[in-house]
Amino acid sequence: MSIIPARLAFADDGTPYSDTFDDIYHSSDGGFGQARHVFLAGNDLPQRWRGCEGFVVLETGFGLGLNFLATWAAWRADPQRCERLHFVSCELHPFSRDDLAALHARLQSNQSTDWPGDWPSASATFAELSAELLTQWPVLAPGLHRLHLDGERVTLTLYFGDARDGLAQIAARADAFYLDGFSPAKNPELWSPKICHLLARLAAPEATLATWSVAGTVREHLRHAGFDVEKAPGFGGKRQMLRGRLQDRQHAEKRPVPAASSRHALVIGAGLAGCALAERLAARGWTIELVDAADAPATGASGNLAGVLRPLPSLDDNPMSRLTRAGTLYGWRHIARLRRDGQAIKAEACGVLHLARDDAQAAKMGKVVERLALPAEHLRCVDASTASALAGWPLPIGGWHFGDSGWVQPPSLCAANLAHHADRIHGHFGHAVARLQHDGETWQAIDAEGGTIARAPVMVLAAGTGVRELLPRGLLPVVSARGQVSILPAATGSPPRLVVCRGGYVSPEVDGQRCAGATFSVDDEDTGLRDDDHAENLAKLDGMLPGIAAGLSPGDVAGRVGFRPASPDRLPMVGALPMPGPLDRGTPLPDVPRQPGAWVLSGYGARGLVWSALAAELLASQIEGEPLPLERNLCDAIDPARFLLRPGA
């Protein structure tokens, strides 16, 4: 489903207005006053988050973001606030960044703004929070988008799309609900029995709700879904509002939150997967024991000069398409966040050009762009002339242009991840893990002599192809894919000016060199460089940029070999490690027995850069019991246990 942005419009009195739903975005008596009275006070906030490790608010309509900004400001102003605030919100028609900025500027300049004046530096606070939100405002693409704000103490998870789909796919346990959509008369789908039952499924024990609507159908649907509701004094010219609380239910699932003493993890592997996870857990206050057989991080498949960080679209927007898009968008936000915190990363969102093989494929690529209808700065089709201008080299055909994608140097990203919270990440390099063992309380990494390298209550296996030696045979169908990259000399500023792909890839000049490749050979354990593979890479390069490799022979180029863990379905394996042993094929994924405190990150194949940051955030969120940054069906698609439930697995 493509996203149709909201249009900037105003009612006669200047209140922001939706011509799609023929309704205003907030009360004409003031959006911030409404947020404070109806949604914050209606959910007994800030009192209810005090003394909590984390608190989750779920909202049915993000709109202008006023409820979020008011909640964020109230959390900031509360000296007894919870450690972490999660805000999850759905929006069918989000505003573009420019329009949202214009709306926020209008609110800030309006002398009658009702931003609460009893919070310290109220106007400055609004400007500061709005600016931080706008800096990270995501591409208007369907699905979940995770934004880390306020030094990562506040997490905003936005679902762009129909709330009926979003609430069915969001994985969270909400402590408070903000039911804020256009009126039931204007937008009945957002107040339907289905929506109310989805809210109840997402509710944590003792969850509360608040809404300005007191319509009889809304009260009936909420009561039938399991909420006790009551009318309360309304805001401004509206006489009444509605408050509610989840009825006591024995089956209500509690959100697991580890005790501070157990926030200690053993991570096996210091490539892209392991370093990203170490950073994501350390950002949450964990202590990490990072173990790798090499003398330094990123020396295996993650050690290339430059790799590509971009999505792979499809006509049906299948799981691969959605996962690579989500991973790319989150990956670039992650890089920007590390840079804002002072970390140096060699990377450039210079654009990626994916050339068509022929005219027939070019036509298919055009249909994909038309069907997905993503913002042009993210994905568009270009003809041969435009492609040539972008690359700075004459090209016979066009293709896809990803304007916000580019190249990343993996070792620099790994180093930045480890340096970001260096005091919490303990490296154990030069130690090969021969086996893992669990004593009922902790996992231990054991070397070939039987000595313990490190131990922790939680263990994450991120050892690339090495997972095969550390797991029971057949538990995870990880294969080793040998990849050889060719490294060519390149003059500063020489073409191509962006990454070019077709059957392989070539990077722009990076430190006087460029990468071209890569081969992909399954179950090939040869560690040496091969002229035949260099010849294959040079042939791919000549197919992309005709004539650019003229005069180069396999003996003239350098290179490196890496072994990438791949899965049979080309999707990663991210989640809790299943127990070995026979399993009923009809077992639902949530009921698959899992090994205590054991998790896995593997199967990235040639897309380690695309998936590493998002997969790490997903796994850290799963371990912490936080709202997840991916939809439920995508989490199922990459669950390591999926292969145990398939015929012939």
Side-chain angles (χ1 to χ4, degrees):
M1 180 187 111
S2 59
I3 297 299
I4 300 173
R7 290 185 290 269
L8 199 59
F10 302 92
D12 292 341
D13 63 359
T15 304
Y17 167 83
S18 169
D19 52 11
T20 301
F21 292 98
D22 187 26
D23 203 356
I24 54 177
Y25 275 96
H26 59 73
S27 168
S28 58
D29 293 304
F32 293 117
Q34 176 179 296
R36 202 175 183 205
H37 178 90
V38 176
F39 299 108
L40 281 154
N43 281 286
D44 295 323
L45 299 176
Q47 290 83 0
R48 287 185 55 236
W49 64 41
R50 291 172 178 166
C52 297
E53 176 71 25
F55 195 87
V56 179
V57 177
L58 194 151
E59 179 186 47
T60 53
F62 189 77
L64 281 64
L66 302 190
N67 293 336
F68 168 64
L69 292 170
T71 303
W72 183 5
W75 176 86
R76 257 197 176 190
D78 183 7
Q80 302 177 61
R81 60 182 173 261
C82 55
E83 289 295 319
R84 291 181 177 273
L85 175 66
H86 281 270
F87 198 100
V88 184
S89 187
C90 300
E91 182 54 57
L92 178 59
H93 298 297
F95 283 99
S96 69
R97 179 186 283 108
D98 288 346
D99 283 352
L100 195 60
L103 285 162
H104 287 186
R106 180 187 177 100
L107 284 165
Q108 189 177 356
S109 64
N110 189 343
Q111 295 303 312
S112 62
T113 183
D114 61 324
W115 182 258
D118 57 339
W119 289 334
S121 306
S123 61
T125 300
F126 173 64
E128 179 186 353
L129 301 190
S130 170
E132 187 171 350
L133 172 63
L134 291 168
T135 296
Q136 295 197 43
W137 190 246
V139 169
L140 301 191
L144 284 171
H145 302 263
R146 171 150 291 181
L147 282 61
H148 300 285
L149 304 160
D150 213 328
E152 297 204 39
R153 299 175 301 168
V154 174
T155 301
L156 174 60
T157 304
L158 289 166
Y159 179 83
F160 288 164
D162 194 313
R164 291 171 293 182
D165 300 325
L167 294 175
Q169 292 298 331
I170 287 169
R173 286 291 162 191
D175 300 295
F177 293 98
Y178 294 180
L179 307 189
D180 190 17
F182 296 109
S183 74
K186 305 288 187 179
N187 188 20
E189 290 83 2
L190 201 56
W191 305 90
S192 66
K194 177 183 178 180
I195 289 286
C196 294
H197 279 86
L198 288 171
L199 294 172
R201 183 175 65 84
L202 290 166
E206 302 181 2
T208 62
L209 66 84
T211 177
W212 46 263
S213 176
V214 292
T217 54
V218 172
R219 301 199 309 272
E220 179 185 352
H221 296 336
L222 288 170
R223 284 176 180 141
H224 188 65
F227 292 95
D228 290 324
V229 295
E230 63 179 3
K231 294 179 181 178
F235 169 74
K238 197 167 190 309
R239 189 167 60 88
Q240 294 177 315
M241 57 172 277
L242 204 65
R243 299 177 55 158
R245 184 176 293 274
L246 184 71
Q247 296 172 2
D248 290 335
R249 292 184 297 169
Q250 291 184 350
H251 66 272
E253 181 181 339
K254 292 186 180 294
R255 184 170 63 254
V257 178
S261 61
S262 69
R263 283 194 167 94
H264 186 196
L266 171 65
V267 178
I268 311 299
L272 280 167
C275 291
L277 180 69
E279 192 277 336
R280 288 291 74 215
L281 286 176
R284 290 163 166 84
W286 284 62
T287 299
I288 311 300
E289 309 297 337
L290 183 63
V291 181
D292 198 285
D295 291 332
T299 57
S302 301
N304 287 336
L305 172 71
V308 190
L309 179 48
R310 61 100 180 200
L312 185 66
S314 67
L315 192 63
D316 59 353
D317 207 21
N318 57 35
M320 174 69 77
S321 175
R322 293 164 60 202
L323 281 165
T324 55
R325 180 171 65 240
T328 297
L329 294 174
Y330 184 84
W332 283 110
R333 285 198 298 273
H334 179 67
I335 288 171
R337 186 169 65 252
L338 290 173
R339 283 174 164 169
R340 282 194 299 270
D341 289 347
Q343 300 303 320
I345 302 169
K346 287 191 175 181
E348 184 183 5
C350 55
V352 175
L353 190 60
H354 185 131
L355 300 174
R357 289 189 304 271
D358 49 38
D359 290 340
Q361 191 190 34
K364 292 179 181 177
M365 294 168 85
K367 291 179 181 178
V368 170
V369 171
E370 183 180 357
R371 172 74 64 86
L372 296 182
L374 294 163
E377 66 269 20
H378 177 69
L379 172 64
R380 61 173 178 154
C381 272
V382 295
D383 60 17
S385 175
T386 303
S388 299
L390 289 168
W393 191 265
L395 300 173
I397 199 166
W400 284 328
H401 177 234
F402 304 92
D404 54 2
S405 293
W407 63 268
V408 181
Q409 189 176 88
S412 75
L413 179 56
C414 289
N417 277 325
L418 298 185
H420 198 207
H421 302 284
D423 57 326
R424 299 194 187 110
I425 301 173
H426 306 148
H428 302 266
F429 296 106
H431 294 279
V433 180
R435 60 186 174 89
L436 296 165
Q437 68 181 33
H438 189 252
D439 63 7
E441 293 184 1
T442 64
W443 284 92
Q444 297 101 41
I446 308 299
D447 63 22
E449 288 72 40
T452 300
I453 302 167
R455 65 173 69 217
V458 171
M459 183 277 295
V460 182
L461 197 51
T465 58
V467 300
R468 298 179 302 172
E469 284 71 49
L470 295 173
L471 291 175
R473 185 177 179 83
L475 184 61
L476 295 181
V478 176
V479 298
S480 174
R482 180 187 183 276
Q484 181 170 317
V485 173
S486 299
I487 302 175
L488 288 63
T492 301
S494 61
R497 300 190 184 106
L498 75 177
V499 179
V500 181
C501 303
R502 184 172 68 183
Y505 80 97
V506 58
S507 73
E509 177 267 331
V510 180
D511 296 335
Q513 298 175 310
R514 74 176 82 260
C515 272
T519 61
F520 193 93
S521 180
V522 175
D523 292 333
D524 181 344
E525 302 302 322
D526 184 6
T527 60
L529 290 170
R530 300 194 297 230
D531 283 351
D532 286 350
D533 285 10
H534 279 322
E536 179 182 334
N537 288 336
L538 290 173
K540 290 177 183 177
L541 176 59
D542 192 64
M544 289 184 280
L545 303 170
I548 201 167
L552 283 176
S553 66
D556 298 329
V557 299
R560 69 184 313 276
V561 173
F563 298 89
R564 301 160 294 192
S567 68
D569 59 7
R570 301 189 303 145
L571 296 178
M573 304 175 189
V574 182
L577 194 63
M579 294 285 289
L583 195 64
D584 182 353
R585 301 293 183 194
T587 304
L589 270 173
D591 295 338
V592 172
R594 311 288 175 147
Q595 299 189 42
W599 308 78
V600 65
L601 290 168
S602 190
Y604 291 5
R607 297 185 175 89
L609 278 171
V610 175
W611 283 325
S612 60
L614 181 60
E617 174 65 16
L618 171 62
L619 195 63
S621 299
Q622 290 175 329
I623 292 171
E624 280 277 282
E626 298 172 346
L628 302 187
L630 275 177
E631 296 91 325
R632 288 177 181 267
N633 55 10
L634 290 182
C635 293
D636 289 347
I638 61 177
D639 190 315
R642 66 189 185 271
F643 299 104
L644 301 180
L645 305 178
R646 295 177 180 174

